[in-house]
Amino acid sequence: MKGFLQTTVTHGRNPIETYRRLGRLDTLCAATLIPGAVASALVYPVFLVWACADFLLFEIPVAPEFWRNLPIAVAITLFLSGITALILPPALGCIRRGWWDLLWFVPVMPFYFALVSVAAWLAVIEFVRAPSQWNKTEHGLSRTSRSGVLRPRRPAA
């Protein structure tokens, strides 16, 4: 997350040069996706708690006219679509790879994204307090499908 912040600031220092080097579409993508990833992680827990509280604690109003029901219908659709977008890709990945023992982690993905939010907040604090300090993440140590270590389990004979 701190790297995303650094990238945003670096490319934002001279936006005309960034536009010239990246082009119109790539500049638009960089200007929205990179800081957007951090911004969405920062507000995720607030909106998740707010949405759950609205759906669980308050009665959903039903109006006799279609147009008065539209805002709440859109809100419910967006909430359910968002939760599905968080849960469906990891579930399909586990199923396609035959990692049935990991499938039970899928329902807790919303909590995982809450931890990503904590990381984003820590990155913002560190970015302000110690912008030159870098906590390097060591990569290549996890078991992945590419390493061949994680293979589908074969049923016992």
Side-chain angles (χ1 to χ4, degrees), residues 2-3 6 123 125-136:
K2 186 175 179 183
Q6 288 280 42
I125 291 167
E126 188 175 282
F127 184 74
V128 170
R129 297 182 75 190
S132 299
Q133 178 183 347
W134 200 260
N135 299 317
K136 185 73 174 142

Side-chain angles (χ1 to χ4, degrees), residues 33-154:
L33 292 177
I34 296 172
V38 178
S40 65
L42 293 174
V43 299
Y44 171 80
V46 174
F47 285 115
L48 181 65
V49 169
W50 187 2
C52 288
D54 275 354
F55 292 145
L56 297 175
L57 301 177
F58 302 108
E59 185 177 335
I60 297 173
V62 178
E65 303 91 30
F66 170 80
W67 295 110
R68 290 183 57 199
N69 289 318
L70 189 59
I72 193 70
V74 168
I76 292 170
T77 302
L78 288 175
F79 178 78
L80 294 176
S81 298
I83 293 296
T84 302
L86 291 177
I87 291 175
L88 191 59
L92 288 175
C94 287
I95 291 168
R96 288 179 180 167
R97 288 177 176 86
W99 296 344
W100 305 108
D101 56 326
L102 298 179
L103 200 56
W104 74 273
F105 284 108
V106 171
V108 297
M109 290 301 291
F111 299 107
Y112 167 79
F113 286 106
L115 294 175
V116 170
S117 179
V118 171
W121 279 104
L122 291 174
V124 168
I125 291 167
E126 188 175 282
F127 184 74
V128 170
R129 297 182 75 190
S132 299
Q133 178 183 347
W134 200 260
N135 299 317
K136 185 73 174 142
T137 302
E138 194 169 348
H139 295 282
L141 300 177
S142 67
R143 300 179 307 152
T144 67
S145 60
R146 292 185 188 133
S147 70
V149 176
L150 283 179
R151 299 193 191 281
R153 292 186 180 184
R154 291 185 171 66

